[in-house]
Amino acid sequence: MSGDDINARDLQRGSAEMLVLALLEERQRHGYEIAQLIEQRSGGEICFQVPSLYPLLYRLERRGLVEGRWVEKAGERRRRFYRLTAAGRSALGAQRRGWKSLFEALDRVARFRQA
């Protein structure tokens, strides 16, 4: 494995995608809610600027991993809600397996559990 095999930017992009898909696995959500939940559940360790989250959601939608629809409620501005598709569910499973393998390999080398 060369130094080019693991790219920090690819890891960051891949982790962001997995986090979004995982939250959408629970139920449909809008972008602001997704960003808030990521920050809350990570204890503030992971923060997304909402404007940077929308390009990711659009890419996931173009790839058929999520579906978005506009919802209008009286007295509220309209929001785009996203839900996970069957392809998104499959992609999430594959990503979880990949991350689990990576974490296990890192643990074997760096021995995080013993630290």
Side-chain angles (χ1 to χ4, degrees), residues 54-95:
Y54 287 103
L56 171 60
L57 287 166
Y58 299 147
R59 283 192 305 274
L60 292 172
E61 192 170 13
R62 279 193 307 272
R63 290 172 47 206
L65 303 180
V66 302
E67 288 179 347
R69 68 179 179 88
W70 289 103
V71 174
E72 293 188 44
K73 292 184 180 177
E76 295 181 12
R77 63 186 206 117
R78 74 182 187 146
R79 293 182 174 163
R80 189 158 179 86
F81 281 80
Y82 296 89
R83 71 173 194 83
L84 198 60
T85 64
R89 196 169 309 282
S90 177
L92 176 59
Q95 288 180 12

Short mmCIF file of all heavy atoms in Angstrom, two decimals, residues 54-95:
data_model
loop_
_atom_site.label_atom_id
_atom_site.label_comp_id
_atom_site.label_asym_id
_atom_site.label_seq_id
_atom_site.Cartn_x
_atom_site.Cartn_y
_atom_site.Cartn_z
N TYR A 54 -25.11 20.77 1.49
CA TYR A 54 -26.02 20.64 0.36
C TYR A 54 -25.37 20.09 -0.91
O TYR A 54 -25.98 19.25 -1.57
CB TYR A 54 -26.78 21.95 0.11
CG TYR A 54 -27.82 22.16 1.19
CD1 TYR A 54 -27.61 23.06 2.21
CD2 TYR A 54 -28.98 21.40 1.20
CE1 TYR A 54 -28.55 23.23 3.21
CE2 TYR A 54 -29.93 21.56 2.19
CZ TYR A 54 -29.71 22.48 3.20
OH TYR A 54 -30.64 22.62 4.19
N PRO A 55 -24.17 20.49 -1.27
CA PRO A 55 -23.54 19.86 -2.44
C PRO A 55 -23.39 18.34 -2.27
O PRO A 55 -23.56 17.59 -3.22
CB PRO A 55 -22.17 20.55 -2.54
CG PRO A 55 -22.38 21.88 -1.90
CD PRO A 55 -23.36 21.62 -0.79
N LEU A 56 -23.10 17.89 -1.04
CA LEU A 56 -23.01 16.45 -0.78
C LEU A 56 -24.37 15.80 -0.98
O LEU A 56 -24.47 14.75 -1.63
CB LEU A 56 -22.50 16.21 0.64
CG LEU A 56 -22.55 14.76 1.14
CD1 LEU A 56 -21.71 13.84 0.26
CD2 LEU A 56 -22.11 14.69 2.58
N LEU A 57 -25.42 16.40 -0.46
CA LEU A 57 -26.77 15.85 -0.64
C LEU A 57 -27.15 15.79 -2.12
O LEU A 57 -27.73 14.81 -2.57
CB LEU A 57 -27.79 16.68 0.14
CG LEU A 57 -27.75 16.49 1.65
CD1 LEU A 57 -28.53 17.58 2.36
CD2 LEU A 57 -28.28 15.11 2.03
N TYR A 58 -26.79 16.82 -2.88
CA TYR A 58 -27.09 16.83 -4.32
C TYR A 58 -26.34 15.72 -5.05
O TYR A 58 -26.88 15.07 -5.94
CB TYR A 58 -26.79 18.19 -4.95
CG TYR A 58 -27.58 19.34 -4.36
CD1 TYR A 58 -27.03 20.61 -4.27
CD2 TYR A 58 -28.88 19.17 -3.89
CE1 TYR A 58 -27.76 21.66 -3.73
CE2 TYR A 58 -29.60 20.21 -3.35
CZ TYR A 58 -29.03 21.47 -3.26
OH TYR A 58 -29.74 22.50 -2.73
N ARG A 59 -25.06 15.50 -4.66
CA ARG A 59 -24.28 14.42 -5.28
C ARG A 59 -24.90 13.06 -4.96
O ARG A 59 -25.01 12.19 -5.83
CB ARG A 59 -22.83 14.45 -4.80
CG ARG A 59 -21.98 15.51 -5.46
CD ARG A 59 -20.49 15.32 -5.19
NE ARG A 59 -20.13 15.24 -3.79
CZ ARG A 59 -19.88 16.29 -3.01
NH1 ARG A 59 -19.94 17.52 -3.50
NH2 ARG A 59 -19.53 16.12 -1.75
N LEU A 60 -25.30 12.88 -3.71
CA LEU A 60 -25.93 11.62 -3.32
C LEU A 60 -27.24 11.41 -4.08
O LEU A 60 -27.55 10.29 -4.48
CB LEU A 60 -26.20 11.60 -1.81
CG LEU A 60 -24.97 11.55 -0.90
CD1 LEU A 60 -25.37 11.75 0.56
CD2 LEU A 60 -24.20 10.27 -1.09
N GLU A 61 -27.95 12.49 -4.32
CA GLU A 61 -29.19 12.40 -5.07
C GLU A 61 -28.93 12.05 -6.53
O GLU A 61 -29.61 11.18 -7.10
CB GLU A 61 -29.96 13.72 -4.96
CG GLU A 61 -31.38 13.66 -5.43
CD GLU A 61 -32.18 14.90 -5.11
OE1 GLU A 61 -31.60 15.94 -4.72
OE2 GLU A 61 -33.41 14.83 -5.25
N ARG A 62 -27.93 12.68 -7.13
CA ARG A 62 -27.59 12.37 -8.52
C ARG A 62 -27.16 10.92 -8.68
O ARG A 62 -27.41 10.30 -9.71
CB ARG A 62 -26.47 13.29 -9.03
CG ARG A 62 -26.95 14.65 -9.47
CD ARG A 62 -25.89 15.42 -10.24
NE ARG A 62 -24.62 15.52 -9.56
CZ ARG A 62 -24.28 16.48 -8.69
NH1 ARG A 62 -25.13 17.42 -8.39
NH2 ARG A 62 -23.10 16.50 -8.15
N ARG A 63 -26.51 10.36 -7.66
CA ARG A 63 -26.06 8.97 -7.70
C ARG A 63 -27.18 7.98 -7.35
O ARG A 63 -26.97 6.78 -7.38
CB ARG A 63 -24.88 8.79 -6.74
CG ARG A 63 -23.63 9.49 -7.23
CD ARG A 63 -22.51 9.50 -6.23
NE ARG A 63 -22.25 8.21 -5.61
CZ ARG A 63 -21.69 8.07 -4.40
NH1 ARG A 63 -21.34 9.13 -3.70
NH2 ARG A 63 -21.47 6.88 -3.91
N GLY A 64 -28.35 8.50 -7.01
CA GLY A 64 -29.49 7.64 -6.71
C GLY A 64 -29.46 7.03 -5.32
O GLY A 64 -30.20 6.08 -5.04
N LEU A 65 -28.63 7.57 -4.43
CA LEU A 65 -28.52 7.03 -3.07
C LEU A 65 -29.55 7.64 -2.13
O LEU A 65 -29.91 7.05 -1.11
CB LEU A 65 -27.11 7.23 -2.52
CG LEU A 65 -25.99 6.61 -3.36
CD1 LEU A 65 -24.63 6.86 -2.72
CD2 LEU A 65 -26.23 5.13 -3.59
N VAL A 66 -30.00 8.85 -2.45
CA VAL A 66 -31.06 9.50 -1.69
C VAL A 66 -32.05 10.12 -2.67
O VAL A 66 -31.71 10.36 -3.83
CB VAL A 66 -30.53 10.59 -0.72
CG1 VAL A 66 -29.51 10.03 0.26
CG2 VAL A 66 -29.95 11.78 -1.46
N GLU A 67 -33.23 10.35 -2.18
CA GLU A 67 -34.25 11.07 -2.95
C GLU A 67 -34.65 12.29 -2.15
O GLU A 67 -34.83 12.21 -0.93
CB GLU A 67 -35.49 10.21 -3.18
CG GLU A 67 -35.29 9.10 -4.17
CD GLU A 67 -36.56 8.26 -4.35
OE1 GLU A 67 -37.51 8.38 -3.53
OE2 GLU A 67 -36.58 7.48 -5.30
N GLY A 68 -34.79 13.42 -2.83
CA GLY A 68 -35.20 14.65 -2.17
C GLY A 68 -36.55 15.10 -2.68
O GLY A 68 -36.90 14.86 -3.84
N ARG A 69 -37.32 15.72 -1.78
CA ARG A 69 -38.59 16.29 -2.20
C ARG A 69 -38.84 17.55 -1.37
O ARG A 69 -38.48 17.62 -0.20
CB ARG A 69 -39.73 15.30 -2.07
CG ARG A 69 -40.09 14.93 -0.67
CD ARG A 69 -41.27 13.94 -0.63
NE ARG A 69 -41.58 13.57 0.72
CZ ARG A 69 -42.41 14.23 1.52
NH1 ARG A 69 -43.03 15.30 1.10
NH2 ARG A 69 -42.63 13.81 2.76
N TRP A 70 -39.45 18.52 -2.03
CA TRP A 70 -39.77 19.77 -1.36
C TRP A 70 -41.05 19.60 -0.57
O TRP A 70 -42.03 19.01 -1.04
CB TRP A 70 -39.94 20.89 -2.37
CG TRP A 70 -38.64 21.31 -2.99
CD1 TRP A 70 -38.19 21.00 -4.23
CD2 TRP A 70 -37.63 22.10 -2.37
NE1 TRP A 70 -36.94 21.54 -4.43
CE2 TRP A 70 -36.58 22.24 -3.31
CE3 TRP A 70 -37.50 22.72 -1.13
CZ2 TRP A 70 -35.43 22.95 -3.03
CZ3 TRP A 70 -36.35 23.44 -0.85
CH2 TRP A 70 -35.33 23.55 -1.79
N VAL A 71 -41.06 20.13 0.65
CA VAL A 71 -42.24 20.09 1.51
C VAL A 71 -42.53 21.52 1.96
O VAL A 71 -41.64 22.21 2.44
CB VAL A 71 -42.01 19.18 2.75
CG1 VAL A 71 -43.18 19.25 3.71
CG2 VAL A 71 -41.73 17.76 2.30
N GLU A 72 -43.79 21.92 1.79
CA GLU A 72 -44.22 23.24 2.24
C GLU A 72 -45.25 23.06 3.34
O GLU A 72 -46.16 22.26 3.22
CB GLU A 72 -44.83 24.02 1.08
CG GLU A 72 -43.80 24.37 0.01
CD GLU A 72 -44.35 25.30 -1.05
OE1 GLU A 72 -45.05 26.28 -0.68
OE2 GLU A 72 -44.09 25.04 -2.23
N LYS A 73 -45.04 23.82 4.43
CA LYS A 73 -46.00 23.81 5.54
C LYS A 73 -46.43 25.25 5.77
O LYS A 73 -45.62 26.17 5.64
CB LYS A 73 -45.37 23.23 6.81
CG LYS A 73 -45.06 21.76 6.72
CD LYS A 73 -44.54 21.23 8.04
CE LYS A 73 -44.23 19.76 7.93
NZ LYS A 73 -43.66 19.22 9.16
N ALA A 74 -47.69 25.42 6.13
CA ALA A 74 -48.21 26.76 6.39
C ALA A 74 -47.39 27.46 7.46
O ALA A 74 -47.08 26.88 8.50
CB ALA A 74 -49.67 26.67 6.82
N GLY A 75 -47.01 28.68 7.18
CA GLY A 75 -46.26 29.48 8.14
C GLY A 75 -44.78 29.16 8.21
O GLY A 75 -44.06 29.74 9.01
N GLU A 76 -44.31 28.22 7.42
CA GLU A 76 -42.89 27.86 7.41
C GLU A 76 -42.36 27.95 5.99
O GLU A 76 -43.11 27.82 5.03
CB GLU A 76 -42.69 26.42 7.90
CG GLU A 76 -43.05 26.18 9.34
CD GLU A 76 -42.81 24.74 9.77
OE1 GLU A 76 -42.13 23.99 9.02
OE2 GLU A 76 -43.29 24.36 10.84
N ARG A 77 -41.07 28.18 5.88
CA ARG A 77 -40.49 28.17 4.53
C ARG A 77 -40.38 26.72 4.06
O ARG A 77 -40.30 25.78 4.86
CB ARG A 77 -39.13 28.86 4.51
CG ARG A 77 -38.09 28.22 5.35
CD ARG A 77 -36.81 29.06 5.39
NE ARG A 77 -35.71 28.16 5.65
CZ ARG A 77 -34.71 27.94 4.83
NH1 ARG A 77 -34.62 28.58 3.70
NH2 ARG A 77 -33.77 27.09 5.13
N ARG A 78 -40.38 26.56 2.77
CA ARG A 78 -40.32 25.20 2.25
C ARG A 78 -38.93 24.61 2.50
O ARG A 78 -37.93 25.34 2.53
CB ARG A 78 -40.72 25.13 0.78
CG ARG A 78 -39.71 25.66 -0.17
CD ARG A 78 -40.24 25.59 -1.59
NE ARG A 78 -39.16 25.96 -2.48
CZ ARG A 78 -39.00 25.46 -3.68
NH1 ARG A 78 -39.87 24.61 -4.16
NH2 ARG A 78 -37.98 25.83 -4.42
N ARG A 79 -38.90 23.30 2.69
CA ARG A 79 -37.66 22.59 2.96
C ARG A 79 -37.59 21.38 2.06
O ARG A 79 -38.59 20.78 1.72
CB ARG A 79 -37.61 22.12 4.41
CG ARG A 79 -37.53 23.23 5.40
CD ARG A 79 -37.45 22.66 6.78
NE ARG A 79 -37.21 23.72 7.74
CZ ARG A 79 -37.40 23.61 9.02
NH1 ARG A 79 -37.83 22.47 9.53
NH2 ARG A 79 -37.16 24.62 9.82
N ARG A 80 -36.36 21.01 1.74
CA ARG A 80 -36.14 19.81 0.95
C ARG A 80 -35.78 18.68 1.91
O ARG A 80 -34.77 18.75 2.63
CB ARG A 80 -35.04 20.03 -0.07
CG ARG A 80 -34.92 18.89 -1.07
CD ARG A 80 -34.23 19.37 -2.33
NE ARG A 80 -34.08 18.32 -3.30
CZ ARG A 80 -35.01 17.97 -4.20
NH1 ARG A 80 -36.14 18.62 -4.23
NH2 ARG A 80 -34.79 16.99 -5.05
N PHE A 81 -36.61 17.66 1.94
CA PHE A 81 -36.39 16.50 2.78
C PHE A 81 -35.78 15.39 1.94
O PHE A 81 -36.19 15.17 0.80
CB PHE A 81 -37.70 16.02 3.41
CG PHE A 81 -38.13 16.83 4.59
CD1 PHE A 81 -38.77 18.04 4.42
CD2 PHE A 81 -37.89 16.38 5.87
CE1 PHE A 81 -39.17 18.80 5.50
CE2 PHE A 81 -38.27 17.13 6.97
CZ PHE A 81 -38.92 18.34 6.79
N TYR A 82 -34.83 14.69 2.53
CA TYR A 82 -34.14 13.60 1.84
C TYR A 82 -34.43 12.29 2.55
O TYR A 82 -34.56 12.23 3.76
CB TYR A 82 -32.62 13.85 1.86
CG TYR A 82 -32.25 15.08 1.08
CD1 TYR A 82 -32.21 16.33 1.70
CD2 TYR A 82 -31.97 15.01 -0.28
CE1 TYR A 82 -31.90 17.47 0.98
CE2 TYR A 82 -31.66 16.14 -1.01
CZ TYR A 82 -31.63 17.37 -0.37
OH TYR A 82 -31.33 18.49 -1.08
N ARG A 83 -34.54 11.24 1.73
CA ARG A 83 -34.72 9.90 2.28
C ARG A 83 -33.77 8.96 1.57
O ARG A 83 -33.37 9.19 0.43
CB ARG A 83 -36.16 9.43 2.18
CG ARG A 83 -36.62 9.11 0.79
CD ARG A 83 -38.02 8.48 0.82
NE ARG A 83 -38.33 7.89 -0.47
CZ ARG A 83 -37.94 6.68 -0.86
NH1 ARG A 83 -37.23 5.92 -0.07
NH2 ARG A 83 -38.26 6.21 -2.05
N LEU A 84 -33.42 7.89 2.26
CA LEU A 84 -32.51 6.88 1.73
C LEU A 84 -33.24 6.00 0.73
O LEU A 84 -34.38 5.60 0.95
CB LEU A 84 -31.99 6.04 2.90
CG LEU A 84 -30.75 5.20 2.70
CD1 LEU A 84 -29.56 6.07 2.34
CD2 LEU A 84 -30.45 4.41 3.96
N THR A 85 -32.60 5.69 -0.38
CA THR A 85 -33.15 4.76 -1.37
C THR A 85 -32.59 3.36 -1.10
O THR A 85 -31.69 3.19 -0.26
CB THR A 85 -32.76 5.18 -2.80
OG1 THR A 85 -31.33 5.08 -2.91
CG2 THR A 85 -33.23 6.59 -3.14
N ALA A 86 -33.09 2.37 -1.82
CA ALA A 86 -32.56 1.01 -1.69
C ALA A 86 -31.07 0.99 -2.05
O ALA A 86 -30.26 0.34 -1.38
CB ALA A 86 -33.35 0.04 -2.57
N ALA A 87 -30.71 1.73 -3.09
CA ALA A 87 -29.29 1.80 -3.47
C ALA A 87 -28.47 2.47 -2.37
O ALA A 87 -27.33 2.09 -2.11
CB ALA A 87 -29.14 2.55 -4.79
N GLY A 88 -29.05 3.48 -1.72
CA GLY A 88 -28.38 4.16 -0.62
C GLY A 88 -28.17 3.24 0.56
O GLY A 88 -27.13 3.25 1.21
N ARG A 89 -29.17 2.41 0.84
CA ARG A 89 -29.07 1.44 1.94
C ARG A 89 -27.95 0.44 1.66
O ARG A 89 -27.16 0.11 2.54
CB ARG A 89 -30.42 0.73 2.10
CG ARG A 89 -30.59 0.01 3.40
CD ARG A 89 -32.03 -0.45 3.62
NE ARG A 89 -33.05 0.58 3.43
CZ ARG A 89 -33.35 1.53 4.31
NH1 ARG A 89 -32.70 1.57 5.46
NH2 ARG A 89 -34.29 2.42 4.07
N SER A 90 -27.86 0.00 0.42
CA SER A 90 -26.81 -0.93 0.02
C SER A 90 -25.43 -0.27 0.13
O SER A 90 -24.47 -0.86 0.64
CB SER A 90 -27.07 -1.41 -1.40
OG SER A 90 -26.05 -2.24 -1.84
N ALA A 91 -25.33 0.97 -0.35
CA ALA A 91 -24.06 1.71 -0.28
C ALA A 91 -23.64 1.94 1.16
O ALA A 91 -22.46 1.82 1.50
CB ALA A 91 -24.18 3.04 -1.02
N LEU A 92 -24.61 2.24 2.03
CA LEU A 92 -24.30 2.44 3.44
C LEU A 92 -23.75 1.17 4.07
O LEU A 92 -22.76 1.21 4.81
CB LEU A 92 -25.56 2.91 4.19
CG LEU A 92 -25.42 3.09 5.69
CD1 LEU A 92 -24.33 4.10 6.05
CD2 LEU A 92 -26.76 3.51 6.30
N GLY A 93 -24.34 0.03 3.75
CA GLY A 93 -23.84 -1.24 4.27
C GLY A 93 -22.41 -1.49 3.84
O GLY A 93 -21.56 -1.89 4.64
N ALA A 94 -22.12 -1.22 2.57
CA ALA A 94 -20.76 -1.42 2.06
C ALA A 94 -19.78 -0.46 2.73
O ALA A 94 -18.66 -0.85 3.08
CB ALA A 94 -20.74 -1.22 0.54
N GLN A 95 -20.21 0.77 2.93
CA GLN A 95 -19.33 1.75 3.58
C GLN A 95 -19.06 1.36 5.03
O GLN A 95 -17.93 1.48 5.50
CB GLN A 95 -19.93 3.15 3.50
CG GLN A 95 -19.89 3.72 2.11
CD GLN A 95 -20.48 5.10 2.03
OE1 GLN A 95 -20.74 5.75 3.03
NE2 GLN A 95 -20.70 5.58 0.81
#
